[in-house]
Amino acid sequence: MPFTTVGITAEIEKFDRLAQGADAACEKAVKAGAKLLAQRISEETPIRTGALAKSIKPGSVNYSAGDGYTCEVAPKGNHPKTGEPLAKIGNIVEHGRSNMAARPFFVPAVKKAEPEVVAVMQAELQKAQGG
C-alpha cells in the first residue's frame, strides 16, 4: 500500500521562503529595535546643551556566529563647542567623577525600554513571516 502525502509541498515552499528571508528579517528587526532604543535613551539623557542627547544613534547591524545580530547604540561624534568625544561625556554623566555626582541615564533607559524594543523586534519578525 503506497504512502501519499497531500499539501506538504506548499509547507516546504513556505519554509524555504522563510529561511531565505531570515537574514534580512533579523537585520531589519535589530535595526528597528536599535532605532527605538536610541530614541528612548535620548529622551532620558540629561540636557545641558542637547549635544549628547542628539548624538545617540544606532550603528550598523553586524552578525557573528558567537553573538548573532548586534547593533551598537551609543553617542557618536564630538561636542560641537569643546571637541570632546560625546561618548566620553556620556560616560562621565552616567558614572560621575570625583567632582561630579553620577546621573545614570543610559543603563536605566535601556532597562526601561527593553520590553518595548523586544516588542518592536518581534513585530518586525512577524511581518517577515507574513503574520
Side-chain angles (χ1 to χ4, degrees), residues 65-88:
D67 296 324
Y69 290 91
T70 60
C71 183
E72 180 183 76
V73 175
K76 311 280 188 216
N78 297 327
H79 192 279
K81 292 183 182 173
T82 66
E84 194 82 30
L86 287 159
K88 178 181 176 185

Side-chain angles (χ1 to χ4, degrees), residues 7-127:
I8 197 161
T9 303
E11 291 303 314
I12 290 172
E13 289 173 0
K14 181 179 175 184
F15 183 75
D16 285 343
R17 281 193 308 276
L18 288 173
Q20 289 172 356
D23 285 333
C26 288
E27 274 193 47
K28 191 172 182 181
V30 169
K31 191 66 173 180
K35 183 178 177 184
L36 176 61
L37 182 59
Q39 180 182 344
R40 294 298 181 253
I41 294 169
S42 291
E43 291 167 358
E44 299 293 325
T45 303
I47 303 296
R48 185 167 159 206
T49 67
L52 180 59
K54 290 176 191 169
S55 76
I56 298 171
K57 307 270 187 239
S60 59
V61 176
N62 298 303
Y63 176 80
S64 74
D67 296 324
Y69 290 91
T70 60
C71 183
E72 180 183 76
V73 175
K76 311 280 188 216
N78 297 327
H79 192 279
K81 292 183 182 173
T82 66
E84 194 82 30
L86 287 159
K88 178 181 176 185
I89 293 171
N91 189 47
I92 292 169
V93 172
E94 181 83 5
H95 300 287
R97 56 183 173 187
S98 62
N99 63 346
M100 186 180 103
R103 290 184 288 163
F105 70 98
F106 201 93
V107 172
V110 170
K111 289 179 181 179
K112 183 178 173 183
E114 184 179 2
E116 187 180 10
V117 169
V118 169
V120 164
M121 292 171 66
Q122 287 173 336
E124 284 295 328
L125 291 172
Q126 288 293 326
K127 276 197 284 189

